[in-house]
């Protein structure tokens, strides 16, 4: 598996992953009916860089990296990761997160912050914790989960510098 | 003093306040050289609503309210407040924050979150605490202050519902 910068053409294969994750509505705060055009803007254009995890020409996962704030807060980055349903359980998210930490250091970021990890997303919370992220806050009832109702979201953080 | 919804024409009087606050670079993460056009977009167009505190035709302060997240996170709002240098110390920020909490309830928000209160902004931290906001997290060295160097930023939160 290779993790590389995404091209515009890759979005045709990124979109089904994005759409499956977002329309499920249980992990991200993108609207569940986010259009392909809006997804392209948010996932491919707004971030500093978007990458894909590729194997035999198939895209198994994707992530973005961007500054979490502008101005005096631009030295802390934020990332988002998505894995295709078919590739779950193979450590793709772990590989992408490790890759993103290296990339973040190369880009000069001093820390990485996840602003909104849905607390019921136990796989993500466990993985980020294993990878050295600290939970700095639990945002009470910050996320309306489609089946669980209001659940907390976590602010998670890792120093890189 | 009256707090009312801002008109597009009000931006001519909002801009000097925004520019003074942002170019100082010690409280917000907007780039210090943010242009008037960009400020108009961020302060007047992106938010759900922008308001002004007005007295005798002068604008003493301004605030915005918007959803802090989309999708499953859209029931928590975020606000930003700015007071003109000439009107500081008169309780304008307090009045605007109290007003914003009422407005937030009217708009159906269940909580208000400040994502990035610079910890060296003691006036703000003290005021929000007095108004019932709880500090949920201290983001380590999240803000590069122009004279103090890296300082922490706070995530502050108040339930409204």
């Amino acid at each position: 598996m290779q993790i590389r910068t995404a091209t515009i053409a890759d979005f045709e294969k990124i979109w089904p992953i994005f759409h499956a994750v977002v329309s499920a509505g249980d992990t991200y705060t993108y609207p569940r009916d986010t259009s392909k055009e809006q997804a392209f803007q948010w996932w491919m254009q707004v971030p500093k860089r978007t990458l894909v995890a590729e194997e035999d020409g198939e895209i198994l996962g994707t992530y973005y990296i961007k500054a979490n704030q502008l101005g005096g807060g631009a030295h802390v980055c934020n990332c988002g990761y998505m894995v295709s349903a078919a590739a779950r359980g193979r450590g793709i998210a772990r590989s992408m997160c490790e890759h993103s930490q290296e990339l973040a250091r190369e880009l000069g970021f001093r820390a990485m912050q996840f602003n909104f990890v849905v607390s019921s997303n136990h796989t993500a919370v466990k993985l980020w914790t294993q990878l050295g992220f600290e939970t700095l806050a639990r945002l009470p009832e910050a996320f309306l989960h489609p089946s669980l109702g209001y659940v907390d979201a976590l602010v998670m953080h890792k120093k890189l510098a």
Side-chain angles (χ1 to χ4, degrees), chain A residues 35-51:
Chain A
S35 69
K36 188 175 176 182
E37 293 66 32
Q38 182 64 74
F40 182 78
Q41 188 194 349
W42 283 338
W43 199 262
M44 303 288 288
Q45 295 189 309
V46 169
K48 189 172 183 68
R49 200 176 297 182
T50 305
L51 297 94

Side-chain angles (χ1 to χ4, degrees), chain A residues 1-144:
Chain A
M1 187 189 70
Q2 177 202 14
I3 297 176
R4 60 166 176 81
T5 300
T7 65
I8 290 177
D10 287 325
F11 188 67
E12 289 303 317
K13 291 180 175 175
I14 291 172
W15 164 245
I17 300 173
F18 183 100
H19 181 63
V21 168
V22 168
S23 63
D26 55 354
T27 55
Y28 275 88
T29 58
Y30 299 113
R32 296 176 74 172
D33 61 353
T34 297
S35 69
K36 188 175 176 182
E37 293 66 32
Q38 182 64 74
F40 182 78
Q41 188 194 349
W42 283 338
W43 199 262
M44 303 288 288
Q45 295 189 309
V46 169
K48 189 172 183 68
R49 200 176 297 182
T50 305
L51 297 94
V52 290
E54 184 183 48
E55 189 181 65
D56 300 332
E58 284 306 302
I59 290 180
L60 309 181
T62 177
Y63 82 86
Y64 73 77
I65 185 167
K66 62 181 175 69
N68 199 37
Q69 300 284 343
L70 301 172
H75 57 284
V76 178
C77 68
N78 167 255
C79 293
Y81 312 85
M82 293 183 178
V83 176
S84 77
R88 301 261 163 86
R90 292 180 45 193
I92 312 290
R94 175 187 292 266
S95 296
M96 290 196 296
C97 185
E98 288 170 342
H99 189 276
S100 70
Q101 291 176 51
E102 278 308 302
L103 176 57
R105 287 189 187 92
E106 283 172 27
L107 294 171
F109 289 112
R110 295 165 54 95
M112 187 178 290
Q113 183 178 316
F114 302 149
N115 302 308
F116 206 91
V117 182
V118 175
S119 61
S120 54
N121 186 357
H122 301 297
T123 307
V125 174
K126 185 178 171 187
L127 177 58
W128 308 148
T129 302
Q130 283 176 352
L131 292 173
F133 286 79
E134 190 184 353
T135 298
L136 295 185
R138 177 172 278 267
L139 310 173
E141 301 187 349
F143 186 71
L144 183 54

